[in-house]
């Protein structure tokens, strides 16, 4: 919470300030503060030098596509911004506390490369917090398992861009909106963190399916937001039917935005995120709500089991400066305005995840 001084005010005012301060703390602990409404501010705490939360050089397993500094990004402004909620302060990340709280437990990220972005961020944050603790990293197919043996904690990632199934059949690759066989491996996990959106938009050679099927109806294409909603409904039914909230906590990452149209952030001349070095200032994003986020919120609102939405969309929309752009893995040939540099924005997603775990 914010600091205050009582040395130069009357006693009754001092008591009033204390009461307000304590109420603010209680409000935050009970989840009353909206952690997702706020703005990006320069971290000017010289005593702690807290941002960035780590150096990419300290994380030996970081993916090349996210290591913007190593890939030659010349500016470092984007590393110094921290998320400031409007009504309270965000809990400072304590990696050792995170691991201690989750001793003997497993975390599984399920989703696309934005899940990879967040999982990679969290493994770096935890490794930097306990640099002497041994870790193991094993990757088998679509499953990556990062383990801290001394804490008996597994931080895993399963690449599954749609959550529902894509199956090879005689007619070709079929995206089945009402089938979710992959859910079998999500069971018995203590913390599940889901993500899905970006692959629903792919067309042409990047599109990983030839047909879409729901029930007996097979089509070559359909409105992608409609397909996304139907897929999410199948996922939500799986959660409602299979998750025991007393044993498993479920999160949804929210929709991570891209920055390909400067008009959406008030800079019509910008055709991509290239050269962006500062966030959008203020509380609001000119481009407004993300349509996929509205669909996600609708589906979550109809569920019977609790799912915590890591509502990262607006705060990430404000970070037009946080993408690899030409400093990912492809340079100018593959402008990346979808993923995020590390250190960077996904570290804040994990601060918000940590705050949610601490609150409850």
């Amino acid at each position: 919470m914010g600091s205050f001084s009582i040395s130069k005010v009357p006693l009754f005012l001092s008591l009033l300030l204390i009461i307000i301060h304590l109420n603010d703390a209680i409000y935050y602990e009970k989840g009353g503060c909206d952690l997702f409404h706020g703005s990006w501010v320069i971290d000017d705490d010289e005593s702690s030098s807290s941002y960035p939360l780590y150096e990419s050089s300290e994380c030996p397993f970081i993916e090349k596509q996210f290591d913007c500094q190593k890939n030659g990004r010349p500016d470092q402004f984007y590393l110094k911004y921290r998320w400031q909620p409007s009504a309270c302060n965000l809990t400072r990340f304590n990696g050792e506390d995170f691991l201690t709280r989750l001793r003997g437990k497993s975390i599984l990220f399920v989703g696309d490369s934005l899940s990879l972005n967040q999982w990679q961020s969290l493994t770096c944050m935890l490794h930097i917090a306990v640099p002497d603790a041994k870790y193991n990293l094993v990757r088998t197919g679509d499953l990556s398992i990062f383990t801290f043996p001394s804490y008996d904690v597994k931080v895993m990632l399963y690449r599954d861009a749609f959550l529902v199934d894509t199956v090879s059949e005689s007619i070709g690759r079929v995206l089945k909106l009402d089938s979710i066989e992959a859910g079998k491996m999500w069971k018995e996990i203590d913390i599940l963190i889901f993500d899905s959106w970006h692959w629903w938009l792919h067309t042409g050679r990047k599109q990983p399916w030839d047909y879409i099927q729901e029930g007996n109806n097979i089509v070559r294409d359909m409105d992608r937001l409609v397909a996304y909603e139907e897929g999410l409904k199948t996922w939500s039914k799986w959660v409602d039917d299979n998750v025991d909230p007393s044993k498993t906590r479920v999160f949804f990452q929210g929709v991570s935005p891209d920055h390909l149209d400067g008009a959406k952030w008030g800079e019509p001349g910008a055709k991509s995120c290239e050269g962006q070095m500062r966030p959008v200032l203020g509380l609001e994003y000119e481009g407004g709500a993300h349509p996929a986020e509205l669909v996600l919120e609708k589906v979550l609102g109809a569920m019977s089991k609790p799912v915590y939405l890591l509502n990262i969309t607006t705060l990430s929309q404000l970070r037009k400066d946080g993408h690899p752009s030409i400093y990912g893995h492809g340079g100018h040939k593959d402008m990346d305005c979808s993923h995020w540099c590390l250190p960077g924005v996904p570290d804040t997603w994990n601060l918000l995840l940590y705050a949610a775990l601490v609150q409850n």
Side-chain angles (χ1 to χ4, degrees), residues 65-100:
Q65 70 188 93
F66 305 141
D67 194 349
C68 300
Q69 288 294 301
K70 188 174 182 180
N71 293 336
R73 180 165 177 169
D75 67 296
Q76 297 190 3
F77 297 119
Y78 73 97
L79 296 171
K80 297 299 294 180
Y81 284 91
R82 64 175 174 83
W83 177 246
Q84 178 60 57
S86 298
C88 58
N89 288 334
L90 191 56
T91 303
R92 189 177 293 272
F93 186 74
N94 184 325
E96 187 169 10
D97 176 67
F98 187 105
L99 291 167
T100 300

Side-chain angles (χ1 to χ4, degrees), residues 270-285:
K271 302 303 181 185
S272 72
C273 63
E274 183 178 2
Q276 297 293 330
M277 295 189 292
R278 305 281 187 176
V280 176
L281 299 178
L283 305 173
E284 306 295 335
Y285 186 65

Side-chain angles (χ1 to χ4, degrees), residues 234-304:
T234 299
W235 165 84
S236 68
K237 184 178 187 305
W238 182 92
V239 172
D240 283 342
D241 290 347
N242 291 278
V243 168
D244 179 351
S246 68
K247 297 179 180 178
T248 299
R249 293 193 63 182
V250 181
F251 294 82
F252 208 105
Q253 185 198 67
V255 173
S256 175
D258 55 30
H259 289 89
L260 295 168
D261 180 4
K264 292 185 177 180
W265 64 80
E267 193 178 339
K271 302 303 181 185
S272 72
C273 63
E274 183 178 2
Q276 297 293 330
M277 295 189 292
R278 305 281 187 176
V280 176
L281 299 178
L283 305 173
E284 306 295 335
Y285 186 65
E286 190 168 320
H290 195 295
E293 180 71 11
L294 297 177
V295 168
L296 173 61
E297 291 176 5
K298 175 185 174 183
V299 172
L300 295 182
M303 295 179 66
S304 61

Side-chain angles (χ1 to χ4, degrees), residues 62-68 71 113 116-117 120 159 324 327-330 336 339-342:
I62 193 169
E63 299 275 341
K64 181 181 186 297
Q65 70 188 93
F66 305 141
D67 194 349
C68 300
N71 293 336
S113 52
L116 168 63
N117 226 170
Q120 177 94 107
R159 297 290 294 269
Y327 304 106
H329 55 73
D336 188 351
H339 300 102
W340 304 91
C341 296
L342 294 179

Side-chain angles (χ1 to χ4, degrees), residues 41 43 52 74 87 108 139 148 151 158 185 193 211 214 260 271 275 291 300 306 318 324 329 341 345 347 353 356-357:
V41 299
D43 181 62
L108 178 62
R139 296 180 179 179
F148 288 94
Y151 291 91
Y158 183 69
M185 70 165 299
I193 305 168
Y211 295 91
E214 186 172 21
L260 295 168
K271 302 303 181 185
L300 295 182
L318 298 174
H329 55 73
C341 296
V345 173
D347 304 330
L353 172 64
L357 294 172

Side-chain angles (χ1 to χ4, degrees), residues 300-318:
L300 295 182
M303 295 179 66
S304 61
K305 296 290 177 67
V307 175
Y308 187 104
L309 175 61
L310 284 171
N311 197 357
I312 60 158
T313 303
T314 300
L315 67 90
S316 302
Q317 283 177 321
L318 298 174

Side-chain angles (χ1 to χ4, degrees), residues 84-308:
Q84 178 60 57
S86 298
C88 58
N89 288 334
L90 191 56
T91 303
R92 189 177 293 272
F93 186 74
N94 184 325
E96 187 169 10
D97 176 67
F98 187 105
L99 291 167
T100 300
R101 287 174 182 270
L102 298 180
R103 188 180 297 277
K105 297 185 181 297
S106 55
I107 305 172
L108 178 62
F109 289 86
V110 182
D112 56 26
S113 52
L114 277 307
S115 277
L116 168 63
N117 226 170
Q118 186 177 3
W119 171 79
Q120 177 94 107
S121 162
L122 183 58
T123 55
C124 285
M125 291 167 71
L126 293 174
H127 171 61
I128 300 307
V130 288
D132 296 327
K134 292 183 178 180
Y135 67 86
N136 296 314
L137 176 56
V138 178
R139 296 180 179 179
T140 305
D142 292 325
L143 180 65
S144 300
I145 304 174
F146 195 98
T147 309
F148 288 94
S150 57
Y151 291 91
D152 190 20
V153 172
K154 291 181 179 179
V155 185
M156 302 179 288
L157 168 73
Y158 183 69
R159 297 290 294 269
D160 188 346
F162 298 104
L163 304 182
V164 292
D165 299 329
T166 304
V167 179
S168 294
E169 298 188 347
S170 58
I171 59 173
R173 301 162 300 172
V174 182
L175 175 61
K176 294 178 175 283
L177 298 181
D178 53 3
S179 176
I180 197 160
E181 291 297 315
K184 294 174 181 176
M185 70 165 299
W186 306 342
K187 295 183 178 181
E188 310 303 323
I189 302 294
D190 299 291
I191 297 173
L192 290 166
I193 305 168
F194 292 96
D195 150 66
S196 183
W197 168 241
H198 281 264
W199 279 86
W200 293 86
L201 293 177
H202 284 332
T203 58
R205 287 183 293 178
K206 288 189 174 182
Q207 180 179 301
W209 44 263
D210 304 301
Y211 295 91
I212 301 175
Q213 179 176 359
E214 186 172 21
N216 294 321
N217 187 34
I218 299 177
V219 296
R220 278 198 174 273
D221 207 351
M222 63 187 295
D223 183 297
R224 300 302 177 84
L225 272 175
V226 173
Y228 180 60
E229 182 172 354
E230 293 307 307
L232 284 180
K233 286 179 180 177
T234 299
W235 165 84
S236 68
K237 184 178 187 305
W238 182 92
V239 172
D240 283 342
D241 290 347
N242 291 278
V243 168
D244 179 351
S246 68
K247 297 179 180 178
T248 299
R249 293 193 63 182
V250 181
F251 294 82
F252 208 105
Q253 185 198 67
V255 173
S256 175
D258 55 30
H259 289 89
L260 295 168
D261 180 4
K264 292 185 177 180
W265 64 80
E267 193 178 339
K271 302 303 181 185
S272 72
C273 63
E274 183 178 2
Q276 297 293 330
M277 295 189 292
R278 305 281 187 176
V280 176
L281 299 178
L283 305 173
E284 306 295 335
Y285 186 65
E286 190 168 320
H290 195 295
E293 180 71 11
L294 297 177
V295 168
L296 173 61
E297 291 176 5
K298 175 185 174 183
V299 172
L300 295 182
M303 295 179 66
S304 61
K305 296 290 177 67
V307 175
Y308 187 104

